[in-house]
Amino acid sequence: MKILVIEDETKVGAFIKRGLEEHHHQVEVYADGIGGQQAALEHDYDLIILDLMLPGINGITLCRNLRALEVGTPILMLTALNATQDIVDGLNAGADDYLAKPFHFSELIARLQALARRKSPFHQDQAILAFADLQLNTNTKMARRGGQDITLTAKEYALLELLLKNTGKVLSRALISEAVWGLEFDTGTNTIDVYVNYLRNKIEKGFSGEKLIHTVVGMGYVMKHK
Amino acid sequence: MKILVIEDETKVGAFIKRGLEEHHHQVEVYADGIGGQQAALEHDYDLIILDLMLPGINGITLCRNLRALEVGTPILMLTALNATQDIVDGLNAGADDYLAKPFHFSELIARLQALARRKSPFHQDQAILAFADLQLNTNTKMARRGGQDITLTAKEYALLELLLKNTGKVLSRALISEAVWGLEFDTGTNTIDVYVNYLRNKIEKGFSGEKLIHTVVGMGYVMKHK
DNA sequence: CTTCAATAACCAATATTTTCATAGTAATAT
DNA sequence: ATATTACTATGAAAATATTGGTTATTGAAG
């Protein structure tokens, strides 16, 4: 399984990572909530192990955020022993289970397996593609930025989906043409440019957030920061 | 919810029963494992709270028995504090969650709600599918809107059921075709469109409520608000 | 076991709506 | 200075809605 661990205490994080890797799991550890949340949104994990006491962002808030963004990945909270109120809050925020620290590793493995068993029948492919504060829901085919829903036409959607699935990668016009329009080559028209413009008008114009679709002159387009 | 409690300590059993009844649940308490197992098999509970330390039959054995007999009801185990091995065994026996005694009642309620939420997708044999002010009775195959009964043909029903089971999700014509008409279906025709039209005439035309079936040009149809 | 009528399923033609692609011009980068 | 990209208006094209008619299916009656 691919597991995301969000834990600020490096010793605990390393301990979990080592133990899980011995059980042949793939583990990524983040020491801060912001980075962890970002990772949870951008990658498709089978499980998230989340410490509730984090610097920067509260674990419960993080949990609620993820659920609000329709991240369905099972979440296992780590709490201090007897922190009853935290446990209640965490479960209500959408966490699936908890484990009080300190814990026996065998119990972590048992709970992890129970969660996997419970969730796997539903493990549907990631519904939300996200980058920065932009989200694209592949079920509703709607985009969302700054809490505002944006409707897209079929071509706009296909183009945005392509960009979001290749964030950071410069996509040539030839590649976009083939992926979105299914054509061999760009026929000498500026159709792609026009659609990039449509998209920019819908997802950038009027929003306070950063610019997301960047032009690389002579090369193509990228979705990235900066 | 209808809850079965299997707990030999009468004081604890009574405490749970009283607390749950205050939260408007229907509770039955059995003090012995044999009787409890019998009850679990004969009635349809929404949740089973099971003490692991029981006279007569072991809680873990009971749990394994129920799962072997394909009783899918969520099971919440009660264990002594720090009985790690029991917890591991219990989860492996098919229990869904555990609670260490003594526990705060608020935690029991929280876990119970989490379990119900988690499990609800399983109980999808709901008799009534509903969205907005539209209902579809899967037993009588009749729809109802604004207090008025609507009869549907077989295809209309299948289509409406599909839409109601996937509210908010855009369903492509290919998907609809496969779900309602089966694999081999002549896609050269507009039959799906025609049936959407039939449905709209029956469940939207003449009703004051909002539009429910929305077309997403180039993508398919959705049942949603707005 | 037929026949008939009623209903359902389907298809195709036409009307309507929405989206798309083009081309022309403006703006920007190299 | 020129190549490249951004923006915009518009007619064409594609997708969808609607309607009328044809073929299946079903169920009751003869």
Coordinates of all heavy atoms in Angstrom, one line a residue, chain C:
Chain C
dC1 P -50.2 -23.4 -28.2 OP1 -49.8 -24.5 -27.8 OP2 -49.3 -22.3 -28.2 O5' -51.7 -23.5 -28.6 C5' -52.1 -24.2 -29.7 C4' -52.7 -23.2 -30.6 O4' -53.8 -22.5 -30.0 C3' -51.7 -22.2 -31.1 O3' -51.9 -22.1 -32.5 C2' -52.1 -20.9 -30.4 C1' -53.6 -21.1 -30.1 N1 -54.0 -20.6 -28.8 C2 -55.2 -19.8 -28.8 O2 -55.8 -19.5 -29.8 N3 -55.7 -19.3 -27.6 C4 -55.0 -19.6 -26.4 N4 -55.5 -19.1 -25.3 C5 -53.8 -20.4 -26.4 C6 -53.4 -20.8 -27.6
dT2 P -51.3 -21.0 -33.5 OP1 -51.2 -21.5 -34.9 OP2 -50.1 -20.5 -32.9 O5' -52.4 -20.0 -33.4 C5' -52.4 -18.8 -34.2 C4' -53.8 -18.3 -34.2 O4' -54.4 -18.3 -32.9 C3' -53.8 -16.9 -34.7 O3' -54.8 -16.7 -35.6 C2' -53.9 -16.0 -33.4 C1' -54.7 -17.0 -32.5 N1 -54.4 -16.8 -31.0 C2 -55.3 -16.2 -30.2 O2 -56.4 -15.7 -30.6 N3 -55.0 -16.1 -28.9 C4 -53.8 -16.6 -28.3 O4 -53.6 -16.5 -27.1 C5 -52.9 -17.2 -29.2 C7 -51.7 -17.8 -28.7 C6 -53.3 -17.3 -30.5
dT3 P -54.7 -15.5 -36.6 OP1 -55.4 -15.8 -37.8 OP2 -53.2 -15.1 -36.8 O5' -55.4 -14.3 -35.8 C5' -56.8 -14.6 -35.4 C4' -57.2 -13.5 -34.5 O4' -56.7 -13.6 -33.2 C3' -56.8 -12.1 -35.0 O3' -58.0 -11.3 -35.1 C2' -55.8 -11.6 -33.9 C1' -56.3 -12.3 -32.7 N1 -55.2 -12.6 -31.6 C2 -55.6 -12.4 -30.3 O2 -56.7 -11.9 -30.0 N3 -54.6 -12.7 -29.4 C4 -53.3 -13.2 -29.7 O4 -52.5 -13.4 -28.8 C5 -53.1 -13.4 -31.1 C7 -51.7 -13.9 -31.5 C6 -54.0 -13.1 -32.0
dC4 P -57.9 -9.9 -35.8 OP1 -59.2 -9.8 -36.6 OP2 -56.7 -9.7 -36.5 O5' -58.0 -8.9 -34.6 C5' -58.9 -9.2 -33.5 C4' -58.6 -8.3 -32.4 O4' -57.5 -8.9 -31.6 C3' -58.1 -6.9 -32.8 O3' -59.0 -6.0 -32.1 C2' -56.7 -6.8 -32.3 C1' -56.6 -7.9 -31.2 N1 -55.3 -8.5 -31.0 C2 -54.9 -8.8 -29.7 O2 -55.6 -8.5 -28.7 N3 -53.7 -9.4 -29.4 C4 -52.9 -9.7 -30.5 N4 -51.8 -10.4 -30.2 C5 -53.3 -9.5 -31.8 C6 -54.5 -8.9 -32.0
dA5 P -58.9 -4.4 -32.5 OP1 -60.3 -4.0 -32.7 OP2 -57.9 -4.2 -33.5 O5' -58.5 -3.8 -31.1 C5' -59.0 -4.4 -29.9 C4' -58.1 -3.9 -28.7 O4' -56.9 -4.7 -28.6 C3' -57.7 -2.4 -28.8 O3' -57.8 -1.8 -27.6 C2' -56.2 -2.5 -29.3 C1' -55.8 -3.8 -28.6 N9 -54.7 -4.5 -29.2 C8 -54.5 -4.7 -30.6 N7 -53.4 -5.4 -30.9 C5 -52.9 -5.8 -29.6 C6 -51.8 -6.5 -29.2 N6 -51.0 -7.1 -30.1 N1 -51.6 -6.7 -27.9 C2 -52.4 -6.1 -27.0 N3 -53.5 -5.4 -27.3 C4 -53.7 -5.3 -28.6
dA6 P -57.7 -0.3 -27.4 OP1 -59.0 0.1 -26.7 OP2 -57.3 0.3 -28.6 O5' -56.6 -0.2 -26.3 C5' -56.5 -1.2 -25.2 C4' -55.1 -1.2 -24.7 O4' -54.3 -2.0 -25.5 C3' -54.5 0.2 -24.6 O3' -54.0 0.4 -23.3 C2' -53.4 0.1 -25.6 C1' -53.0 -1.4 -25.6 N9 -52.5 -1.8 -26.9 C8 -52.9 -1.5 -28.2 N7 -52.2 -2.0 -29.1 C5 -51.2 -2.8 -28.4 C6 -50.2 -3.6 -28.9 N6 -49.9 -3.9 -30.1 N1 -49.4 -4.2 -27.9 C2 -49.7 -4.0 -26.6 N3 -50.7 -3.2 -26.1 C4 -51.4 -2.7 -27.1
dT7 P -53.4 1.8 -22.8 OP1 -53.9 2.1 -21.5 OP2 -53.5 2.7 -23.9 O5' -51.8 1.5 -22.6 C5' -51.4 0.3 -22.0 C4' -50.0 -0.1 -22.4 O4' -50.0 -0.5 -23.7 C3' -49.0 1.1 -22.2 O3' -48.0 0.7 -21.3 C2' -48.5 1.3 -23.6 C1' -48.7 -0.1 -24.2 N1 -48.8 -0.2 -25.7 C2 -47.9 -1.0 -26.4 O2 -47.1 -1.7 -25.8 N3 -48.1 -1.0 -27.8 C4 -48.9 -0.3 -28.5 O4 -48.9 -0.4 -29.7 C5 -49.8 0.6 -27.8 C7 -50.8 1.5 -28.5 C6 -49.7 0.6 -26.4
dA8 P -46.9 1.8 -20.8 OP1 -46.7 1.5 -19.4 OP2 -47.2 3.1 -21.4 O5' -45.7 1.2 -21.6 C5' -45.3 -0.2 -21.5 C4' -44.3 -0.5 -22.5 O4' -44.8 -0.5 -23.8 C3' -43.0 0.4 -22.4 O3' -41.9 -0.4 -22.2 C2' -43.0 1.1 -23.8 C1' -43.8 0.1 -24.6 N9 -44.5 0.7 -25.7 C8 -45.5 1.7 -25.7 N7 -46.0 2.0 -26.9 C5 -45.3 1.2 -27.8 C6 -45.4 1.1 -29.2 N6 -46.2 1.8 -29.9 N1 -44.5 0.2 -29.7 C2 -43.7 -0.5 -29.0 N3 -43.5 -0.5 -27.6 C4 -44.4 0.4 -27.1
dA9 P -40.5 0.2 -22.1 OP1 -39.6 -0.6 -21.3 OP2 -40.6 1.7 -21.9 O5' -40.0 0.1 -23.6 C5' -39.8 -1.2 -24.1 C4' -39.2 -1.1 -25.5 O4' -40.2 -0.5 -26.4 C3' -37.9 -0.3 -25.6 O3' -36.9 -1.0 -26.3 C2' -38.4 1.0 -26.5 C1' -39.6 0.4 -27.2 N9 -40.6 1.4 -27.6 C8 -41.3 2.2 -26.7 N7 -42.2 3.0 -27.3 C5 -42.1 2.6 -28.6 C6 -42.8 3.1 -29.8 N6 -43.7 4.0 -29.8 N1 -42.5 2.5 -31.0 C2 -41.5 1.5 -31.0 N3 -40.8 1.0 -30.0 C4 -41.1 1.6 -28.8
dC10 P -35.5 -0.4 -26.4 OP1 -34.5 -1.5 -26.4 OP2 -35.3 0.7 -25.4 O5' -35.5 0.2 -27.9 C5' -35.9 -0.6 -28.9 C4' -36.2 0.3 -30.2 O4' -37.3 1.1 -29.9 C3' -35.1 1.2 -30.6 O3' -34.5 0.6 -31.8 C2' -35.8 2.5 -30.9 C1' -37.3 2.2 -30.8 N1 -38.2 3.2 -30.3 C2 -39.1 3.8 -31.3 O2 -39.1 3.4 -32.4 N3 -39.9 4.8 -30.9 C4 -40.0 5.1 -29.6 N4 -40.8 6.1 -29.2 C5 -39.1 4.6 -28.6 C6 -38.2 3.6 -29.0
dC11 P -33.2 1.2 -32.3 OP1 -32.4 0.1 -32.9 OP2 -32.6 2.1 -31.3 O5' -33.7 2.2 -33.5 C5' -34.6 1.6 -34.4 C4' -35.1 2.8 -35.3 O4' -36.1 3.5 -34.5 C3' -34.1 3.7 -35.8 O3' -34.2 3.7 -37.3 C2' -34.5 5.1 -35.3 C1' -36.0 4.9 -34.9 N1 -36.5 5.7 -33.8 C2 -37.6 6.6 -34.0 O2 -38.0 6.7 -35.1 N3 -38.1 7.3 -33.0 C4 -37.6 7.1 -31.7 N4 -38.1 7.8 -30.7 C5 -36.5 6.2 -31.5 C6 -36.0 5.6 -32.5
dA12 P -33.0 4.4 -38.1 OP1 -32.8 3.4 -39.3 OP2 -31.9 4.8 -37.3 O5' -33.8 5.7 -38.7 C5' -35.1 5.6 -39.1 C4' -35.7 7.0 -39.4 O4' -36.1 7.5 -38.1 C3' -34.6 8.0 -39.9 O3' -35.3 8.8 -40.8 C2' -34.2 8.8 -38.7 C1' -35.6 8.8 -37.9 N9 -35.5 9.0 -36.5 C8 -34.6 8.6 -35.6 N7 -34.8 9.0 -34.3 C5 -36.0 9.7 -34.4 C6 -36.7 10.4 -33.5 N6 -36.4 10.4 -32.2 N1 -37.8 11.0 -33.9 C2 -38.1 11.0 -35.2 N3 -37.5 10.4 -36.2 C4 -36.4 9.8 -35.7
dA13 P -34.6 9.6 -41.9 OP1 -34.8 9.0 -43.2 OP2 -33.2 9.9 -41.5 O5' -35.4 11.0 -41.9 C5' -36.8 11.0 -41.9 C4' -37.3 12.3 -41.3 O4' -37.2 12.2 -39.9 C3' -36.6 13.5 -41.8 O3' -37.5 14.5 -42.2 C2' -35.7 14.0 -40.6 C1' -36.6 13.5 -39.4 N9 -35.9 13.2 -38.2 C8 -34.7 12.4 -38.1 N7 -34.3 12.3 -36.8 C5 -35.2 13.0 -36.1 C6 -35.3 13.3 -34.7 N6 -34.4 12.9 -33.8 N1 -36.3 14.1 -34.3 C2 -37.2 14.5 -35.2 N3 -37.2 14.3 -36.5 C4 -36.2 13.6 -36.9
dT14 P -37.0 15.9 -42.8 OP1 -38.0 16.3 -43.8 OP2 -35.6 15.8 -43.0 O5' -37.2 16.9 -41.5 C5' -38.5 16.9 -40.9 C4' -38.4 17.8 -39.6 O4' -37.6 17.2 -38.6 C3' -37.7 19.2 -39.9 O3' -38.6 20.2 -39.4 C2' -36.4 19.1 -39.2 C1' -36.7 18.1 -38.0 N1 -35.6 17.4 -37.4 C2 -35.5 17.4 -36.0 O2 -36.3 18.0 -35.3 N3 -34.4 16.7 -35.5 C4 -33.5 16.0 -36.2 O4 -32.6 15.4 -35.7 C5 -33.6 16.1 -37.7 C7 -32.6 15.4 -38.5 C6 -34.6 16.7 -38.2
dA15 P -38.2 21.7 -39.4 OP1 -39.4 22.5 -39.8 OP2 -36.9 21.9 -40.2 O5' -37.9 22.0 -37.9 C5' -38.9 21.7 -36.9 C4' -38.4 22.1 -35.5 O4' -37.4 21.2 -35.1 C3' -37.9 23.5 -35.4 O3' -38.4 24.1 -34.2 C2' -36.4 23.4 -35.4 C1' -36.2 22.0 -34.8 N9 -35.1 21.2 -35.2 C8 -34.7 20.9 -36.5 N7 -33.6 20.1 -36.6 C5 -33.2 20.0 -35.3 C6 -32.2 19.3 -34.7 N6 -31.3 18.6 -35.4 N1 -32.1 19.3 -33.3 C2 -33.0 20.0 -32.6 N3 -34.1 20.7 -33.1 C4 -34.1 20.6 -34.4
dT16 P -38.1 25.6 -33.8 OP1 -39.2 26.1 -33.0 OP2 -37.6 26.3 -35.0 O5' -36.9 25.5 -32.8 C5' -37.0 24.7 -31.6 C4' -35.7 24.5 -31.0 O4' -34.8 23.7 -31.8 C3' -34.9 25.8 -30.7 O3' -34.9 26.0 -29.3 C2' -33.6 25.7 -31.4 C1' -33.5 24.2 -31.5 N1 -32.6 23.6 -32.6 C2 -31.5 22.8 -32.2 O2 -31.3 22.6 -31.1 N3 -30.8 22.4 -33.3 C4 -31.0 22.6 -34.6 O4 -30.2 22.2 -35.5 C5 -32.1 23.5 -34.9 C7 -32.4 23.8 -36.4 C6 -32.9 23.9 -33.9
dT17 P -34.3 27.3 -28.7 OP1 -35.1 27.7 -27.5 OP2 -34.1 28.3 -29.7 O5' -32.9 26.9 -28.1 C5' -32.8 25.7 -27.4 C4' -31.4 25.2 -27.3 O4' -30.9 24.8 -28.6 C3' -30.4 26.3 -26.9 O3' -29.8 25.9 -25.7 C2' -29.4 26.4 -28.0 C1' -29.6 25.1 -28.8 N1 -29.3 25.1 -30.2 C2 -28.3 24.3 -30.7 O2 -27.7 23.5 -30.0 N3 -28.1 24.4 -32.1 C4 -28.8 25.2 -33.0 O4 -28.5 25.1 -34.2 C5 -29.8 26.0 -32.4 C7 -30.6 27.0 -33.3 C6 -30.0 26.0 -31.1
dT18 P -28.9 26.8 -24.8 OP1 -29.1 26.5 -23.4 OP2 -29.0 28.2 -25.3 O5' -27.5 26.2 -25.2 C5' -27.2 24.8 -25.1 C4' -25.9 24.5 -25.8 O4' -26.0 24.6 -27.2 C3' -24.8 25.4 -25.3 O3' -23.9 24.6 -24.7 C2' -24.2 26.0 -26.6 C1' -24.8 25.1 -27.7 N1 -25.1 25.7 -29.0 C2 -24.6 25.2 -30.2 O2 -23.8 24.3 -30.2 N3 -24.9 25.9 -31.3 C4 -25.8 26.9 -31.4 O4 -26.0 27.4 -32.6 C5 -26.3 27.4 -30.2 C7 -27.3 28.6 -30.2 C6 -26.0 26.8 -29.1
dT19 P -22.5 25.1 -24.1 OP1 -22.1 24.3 -22.9 OP2 -22.5 26.6 -24.0 O5' -21.5 24.7 -25.3 C5' -21.6 23.4 -25.8 C4' -20.8 23.2 -27.1 O4' -21.3 24.0 -28.1 C3' -19.3 23.7 -26.9 O3' -18.5 22.7 -27.3 C2' -19.2 25.0 -27.7 C1' -20.3 24.7 -28.8 N1 -20.9 25.8 -29.5 C2 -20.8 25.9 -30.9 O2 -20.3 25.0 -31.6 N3 -21.5 27.0 -31.5 C4 -22.1 28.0 -30.8 O4 -22.6 28.9 -31.4 C5 -22.1 27.9 -29.4 C7 -22.8 28.9 -28.5 C6 -21.5 26.8 -28.8
dC20 P -16.9 22.8 -27.1 OP1 -16.5 21.4 -26.8 OP2 -16.6 23.9 -26.3 O5' -16.5 23.1 -28.6 C5' -17.1 22.3 -29.7 C4' -16.7 22.8 -31.0 O4' -17.4 24.0 -31.3 C3' -15.2 23.1 -31.2 O3' -14.7 22.4 -32.3 C2' -15.2 24.6 -31.4 C1' -16.6 24.9 -31.9 N1 -17.2 26.3 -31.6 C2 -17.6 27.1 -32.6 O2 -17.5 26.8 -33.8 N3 -18.2 28.3 -32.3 C4 -18.3 28.6 -31.0 N4 -18.9 29.8 -30.8 C5 -17.9 27.8 -30.0 C6 -17.3 26.6 -30.3
dA21 P -13.2 22.2 -32.5 OP1 -12.9 20.9 -33.1 OP2 -12.5 22.7 -31.3 O5' -13.0 23.3 -33.7 C5' -13.7 23.1 -34.9 C4' -13.5 24.3 -35.8 O4' -14.1 25.5 -35.3 C3' -12.0 24.6 -36.0 O3' -11.8 24.7 -37.4 C2' -11.8 26.0 -35.2 C1' -13.2 26.6 -35.3 N9 -13.6 27.4 -34.1 C8 -13.3 27.1 -32.8 N7 -13.8 28.0 -32.0 C5 -14.5 28.9 -32.8 C6 -15.2 30.1 -32.6 N6 -15.5 30.5 -31.4 N1 -15.8 30.7 -33.6 C2 -15.5 30.2 -34.9 N3 -14.9 29.1 -35.2 C4 -14.3 28.5 -34.2
dT22 P -10.3 25.0 -38.0 OP1 -10.1 24.0 -39.0 OP2 -9.3 25.0 -36.9 O5' -10.4 26.4 -38.6 C5' -11.7 26.7 -39.2 C4' -11.8 28.2 -39.4 O4' -12.3 28.9 -38.2 C3' -10.4 28.9 -39.8 O3' -10.5 29.5 -41.0 C2' -10.2 29.9 -38.7 C1' -11.6 30.1 -38.1 N1 -11.7 30.5 -36.6 C2 -12.4 31.5 -36.2 O2 -13.1 32.2 -37.0 N3 -12.5 31.8 -34.9 C4 -11.8 31.0 -33.9 O4 -11.9 31.3 -32.8 C5 -11.0 29.9 -34.4 C7 -10.3 29.0 -33.5 C6 -11.0 29.7 -35.7
dA23 P -9.2 30.0 -41.8 OP1 -9.3 29.6 -43.2 OP2 -8.0 29.6 -41.0 O5' -9.4 31.6 -41.7 C5' -10.7 32.1 -41.8 C4' -10.7 33.5 -41.2 O4' -10.7 33.5 -39.8 C3' -9.4 34.3 -41.5 O3' -9.7 35.6 -41.7 C2' -8.6 34.1 -40.3 C1' -9.7 34.2 -39.2 N9 -9.4 33.7 -37.9 C8 -8.5 32.7 -37.6 N7 -8.4 32.5 -36.3 C5 -9.3 33.4 -35.7 C6 -9.6 33.7 -34.4 N6 -9.1 33.1 -33.3 N1 -10.5 34.7 -34.2 C2 -10.9 35.4 -35.2 N3 -10.7 35.2 -36.5 C4 -9.8 34.2 -36.7
dG24 P -8.9 36.5 -42.8 OP1 -9.7 36.5 -44.0 OP2 -7.5 36.1 -42.8 O5' -8.9 38.0 -42.1 C5' -10.1 38.4 -41.5 C4' -9.8 39.2 -40.3 O4' -9.6 38.3 -39.2 C3' -8.5 40.0 -40.3 O3' -8.8 41.4 -40.0 C2' -7.6 39.5 -39.3 C1' -8.6 38.8 -38.3 N9 -8.0 37.7 -37.6 C8 -7.2 36.7 -38.0 N7 -6.8 35.9 -37.0 C5 -7.3 36.5 -35.9 C6 -7.2 36.1 -34.5 O6 -6.6 35.1 -34.1 N1 -7.9 36.9 -33.7 C2 -8.6 38.0 -34.1 N2 -9.1 38.8 -33.1 N3 -8.7 38.4 -35.3 C4 -8.0 37.6 -36.2
dT25 P -7.7 42.5 -40.2 OP1 -8.3 43.7 -40.8 OP2 -6.4 41.9 -40.7 O5' -7.4 42.9 -38.6 C5' -8.6 43.2 -37.8 C4' -8.1 43.3 -36.4 O4' -7.7 41.9 -35.9 C3' -6.9 44.2 -36.1 O3' -7.1 45.0 -35.0 C2' -5.7 43.2 -35.9 C1' -6.4 42.1 -35.2 N1 -5.7 40.7 -35.3 C2 -5.6 40.1 -34.1 O2 -6.0 40.5 -33.0 N3 -5.0 38.8 -34.2 C4 -4.4 38.3 -35.4 O4 -3.9 37.2 -35.3 C5 -4.6 39.1 -36.6 C7 -4.1 38.6 -37.9 C6 -5.3 40.3 -36.5
dA26 P -6.0 46.2 -34.6 OP1 -6.8 47.4 -34.6 OP2 -4.8 46.1 -35.5 O5' -5.7 45.8 -33.1 C5' -6.7 45.3 -32.2 C4' -6.0 44.7 -31.0 O4' -5.4 43.4 -31.3 C3' -4.8 45.6 -30.5 O3' -5.0 45.7 -29.1 C2' -3.6 44.9 -30.9 C1' -4.1 43.4 -30.9 N9 -3.4 42.5 -31.9 C8 -3.3 42.7 -33.3 N7 -2.6 41.8 -33.9 C5 -2.3 40.9 -32.9 C6 -1.6 39.7 -32.9 N6 -1.1 39.1 -34.0 N1 -1.4 39.0 -31.7 C2 -1.9 39.6 -30.6 N3 -2.6 40.7 -30.4 C4 -2.7 41.3 -31.6
dA27 P -4.0 46.6 -28.2 OP1 -4.7 47.1 -27.1 OP2 -3.2 47.5 -29.1 O5' -3.0 45.5 -27.6 C5' -3.5 44.4 -26.8 C4' -2.4 43.4 -26.5 O4' -2.0 42.8 -27.8 C3' -1.1 44.0 -25.9 O3' -0.9 43.3 -24.7 C2' 0.0 43.8 -26.9 C1' -0.6 42.6 -27.7 N9 -0.1 42.5 -29.1 C8 -0.3 43.3 -30.1 N7 0.2 42.9 -31.3 C5 0.8 41.7 -31.0 C6 1.4 40.7 -31.7 N6 1.7 40.9 -33.0 N1 1.8 39.6 -31.1 C2 1.6 39.4 -29.8 N3 0.9 40.3 -29.0 C4 0.6 41.4 -29.6
dT28 P 0.2 43.8 -23.6 OP1 -0.4 43.6 -22.3 OP2 0.7 45.2 -24.0 O5' 1.3 42.8 -23.8 C5' 1.0 41.4 -23.8 C4' 2.2 40.6 -24.4 O4' 2.3 40.9 -25.8 C3' 3.6 41.1 -23.8 O3' 4.1 39.9 -23.1 C2' 4.4 41.5 -25.0 C1' 3.7 40.7 -26.1 N1 3.9 41.3 -27.5 C2 4.4 40.4 -28.5 O2 4.8 39.3 -28.2 N3 4.5 41.0 -29.7 C4 4.1 42.3 -30.1 O4 4.3 42.7 -31.3 C5 3.5 43.1 -29.1 C7 3.1 44.4 -29.4 C6 3.4 42.6 -27.8
dA29 P 5.4 40.0 -22.2 OP1 5.2 39.2 -21.0 OP2 5.9 41.4 -22.2 O5' 6.4 39.1 -23.2 C5' 6.0 37.8 -23.5 C4' 7.0 37.2 -24.5 O4' 6.9 38.0 -25.8 C3' 8.4 37.3 -24.1 O3' 9.0 36.0 -24.4 C2' 9.0 38.4 -24.9 C1' 8.2 38.4 -26.2 N9 7.9 39.7 -26.8 C8 7.5 40.9 -26.2 N7 7.3 41.9 -27.1 C5 7.8 41.3 -28.3 C6 7.9 41.9 -29.6 N6 7.5 43.1 -29.9 N1 8.3 41.1 -30.6 C2 8.6 39.8 -30.3 N3 8.6 39.2 -29.1 C4 8.1 40.0 -28.1
dT30 P 10.5 35.7 -23.9 OP1 10.5 34.3 -23.6 OP2 10.9 36.7 -22.9 O5' 11.4 35.9 -25.2 C5' 11.1 35.1 -26.3 C4' 12.0 35.6 -27.5 O4' 11.5 36.8 -28.0 C3' 13.5 35.8 -27.1 O3' 14.3 35.1 -28.1 C2' 13.7 37.3 -27.2 C1' 12.6 37.7 -28.2 N1 12.2 39.1 -28.2 C2 12.0 39.8 -29.3 O2 12.3 39.3 -30.4 N3 11.6 41.1 -29.2 C4 11.2 41.7 -28.0 O4 10.8 42.9 -28.0 C5 11.4 40.9 -26.8 C7 11.1 41.6 -25.5 C6 11.8 39.7 -27.0

